[in-house]
Amino acid sequence: MKNLKDIMAVVTAPEFRPGLLEDNKRSVSYYNDDLGFGDLKRILSANEEMTPAEVFRLCDVFFTEDRIQAIVTEEQRCADRNPFYGSSFQPIGGEFFGGMVLASTDQFTAMLLALDGFEIDLAKQRYGERRTLTFGGQETYLKFFRSHEFPLQSWKIPTFGDDDDLHTLDLRFEEGDRFDCKAGDALHFKANESFEYSAKAGSHALVLQIQMYRGGMPMALEFDFDTRRMVGASSPAQEPTRLQMLATAMRLFGRQDSCEQLERLLEHPSHYVRWHTMREFLGLNLERAWPHLERMRDRDPQAAVRRAAQRTIEMLSDEMPAIAAE
């Protein structure tokens, strides 16, 4: 289609909308019924406490090369019939990969990724002098369907718990195994492991990557590659991140009716959620949040939270008498 007039002629045709809806409906039915995605979702929904190893075994059996080829063929067929076809699978992309999300639940995300060695090499050169290595804190499974001269280097750090004080642990990463990935290879990385592709121009791979959301380490950590020292930390999964966003939204919109919900979040197992909620709670209602801040200072199991609460009390203590007098 060369111009807007050609596009409008297509989308305003009487058969366009029914044909597009029919394509989408047919492909959804094909994936769920004929290719078994409906059964996969039902199994996962009925077994929400499956371990990462159990999820990986299930997906390894389900995502065969034949099933992947059937998905690609169906997507191509629908796109050829209608250039406005909306895929049943979410497209994803990054600096050196493109692909789609094959399945996603509260437990995991399974992605089909096409990796290009030239783009990987180019991306590394763009990092500049300072290079970092991230440990996402989640278990990961890789299954290679295609691979040409595609090496992978792994790294590992000591395990730790949510109550451990990273300030005193002095964590540093160590070199792990190196793999020359071949078609048919499957790799399982623990939550305290990380990996990076070291491919060069001319290399490529098609890989199933499954990322777990439950379990794992309590934080994602970033390290300076040269010194191997930790330089940053963040929440490792979607649930704590969304709860932090929720607490921020309650403060931004001045929702005084959310205080009870924020108080419940102060008991969350993740110290990242507890402290982020406290910061937002203080901004929303300092007087109501103050007793909880004192409790955090005295009894929170995480040393970093206790230190932060103490510093916050020292900074805000001059404001409390004025608030109490109002």
Side-chain angles (χ1 to χ4, degrees):
M1 280 176 257
K2 297 181 179 180
N3 53 47
L4 181 60
K5 184 177 180 180
D6 293 335
I7 295 174
M8 292 303 298
V10 172
V11 299
T12 57
E15 67 275 9
F16 171 75
R17 180 176 173 81
L20 183 60
L21 292 176
E22 183 60 30
D23 270 345
N24 287 332
K25 181 180 178 181
R26 190 181 66 83
S27 63
V28 169
S29 176
Y30 173 69
Y31 293 133
N32 284 335
D33 300 334
D34 296 349
L35 290 190
F37 276 84
D39 292 334
L40 177 66
K41 294 172 185 177
R42 282 188 287 273
I43 292 172
L44 291 167
S45 296
N47 299 275
E48 293 185 350
E49 300 306 319
M50 293 176 70
T51 66
E54 290 171 333
V55 172
F56 294 156
R57 282 196 296 270
L58 176 65
C59 290
D60 182 80
V61 172
F62 181 82
F63 290 110
T64 62
E65 186 164 353
D66 287 344
R67 186 171 270 112
I68 296 298
Q69 185 59 57
I71 293 170
V72 173
T73 300
E74 174 68 10
E75 291 295 295
Q76 289 177 331
R77 184 184 297 120
C78 290
D80 289 343
R81 271 201 307 269
N82 193 324
F84 296 94
Y85 164 73
S87 174
S88 299
F89 302 102
Q90 175 190 347
I92 53 175
E95 281 189 303
F96 53 83
F97 70 89
M100 56 186 178
V101 176
L102 298 176
S104 184
T105 71
D106 290 341
Q107 297 158 289
F108 80 106
T109 292
M111 302 165 283
L112 182 66
L113 304 178
L115 304 166
D116 180 80
F118 175 76
E119 294 293 342
I120 292 173
D121 189 38
L122 195 63
K124 288 183 178 180
Q125 294 182 36
R126 286 197 293 264
Y127 292 158
E129 295 182 1
R130 184 175 182 271
R131 182 180 170 193
T132 61
L133 182 65
T134 299
F135 289 77
Q138 303 163 344
E139 297 198 35
T140 305
Y141 182 80
L142 303 179
K143 181 178 181 179
F144 288 85
F145 295 110
R146 299 282 187 274
S147 184
H148 174 68
E149 297 183 353
F150 216 84
L152 179 152
Q153 177 65 54
S154 67
W155 314 88
K156 58 184 177 181
I157 58 174
T159 58
F160 60 92
D162 191 69
D163 296 344
D164 288 326
D165 188 354
L166 296 185
H167 182 71
T168 61
L169 285 181
D170 191 28
L171 292 176
R172 302 192 190 197
F173 67 84
E174 298 178 354
E175 188 171 323
D177 295 327
R178 180 180 173 85
F179 304 90
D180 291 318
C181 304
K182 308 294 184 184
D185 286 351
L187 304 174
H188 179 177
F189 295 100
K190 298 295 186 180
N192 66 322
E193 294 179 298
S194 182
F195 63 90
E196 63 175 4
Y197 301 110
S198 52
K200 301 294 182 180
S203 60
H204 54 81
L206 180 67
V207 58
L208 172 73
Q209 179 169 320
I210 304 173
Q211 201 81 36
M212 290 299 299
Y213 293 141
R214 295 183 177 178
M217 294 195 301
M219 285 174 284
L221 304 180
E222 184 180 14
F223 291 80
D224 180 271
F225 193 85
D226 295 323
T227 66
R228 302 201 173 190
R229 291 183 177 274
M230 186 178 67
V231 294
S234 62
S235 294
Q238 293 186 18
E239 180 194 6
T241 300
R242 289 171 177 171
L243 291 174
Q244 289 171 230
M245 292 173 59
L246 176 63
T248 298
M250 295 303 99
R251 190 261 304 168
L252 288 173
F253 287 99
R255 292 295 299 267
Q256 296 296 330
D257 59 342
S258 69
C259 290
E260 185 175 340
Q261 286 76 16
L262 293 176
E263 288 169 343
R264 287 203 294 268
L265 285 180
L266 294 177
E267 305 296 330
H268 193 274
S270 169
H271 83 271
Y272 251 76
V273 174
R274 295 197 302 273
W275 181 244
H276 184 90
T277 299
M278 175 53 70
R279 291 169 53 194
E280 303 299 348
F281 200 178
L282 290 168
L284 178 67
N285 191 323
L286 178 59
E287 185 176 10
R288 182 160 176 173
W290 191 264
H292 298 286
L293 180 63
E294 293 179 322
R295 178 185 56 79
M296 264 190 172
R297 175 198 61 191
D298 298 334
R299 301 201 300 271
D300 195 275
Q302 170 55 252
V305 171
R306 295 196 300 271
R307 285 196 302 270
Q310 177 60 41
R311 289 196 297 267
T312 303
I313 287 173
E314 293 170 357
M315 293 171 57
L316 298 179
S317 58
D318 291 342
E319 299 186 29
M320 279 307 295
I323 293 176
E326 292 179 356

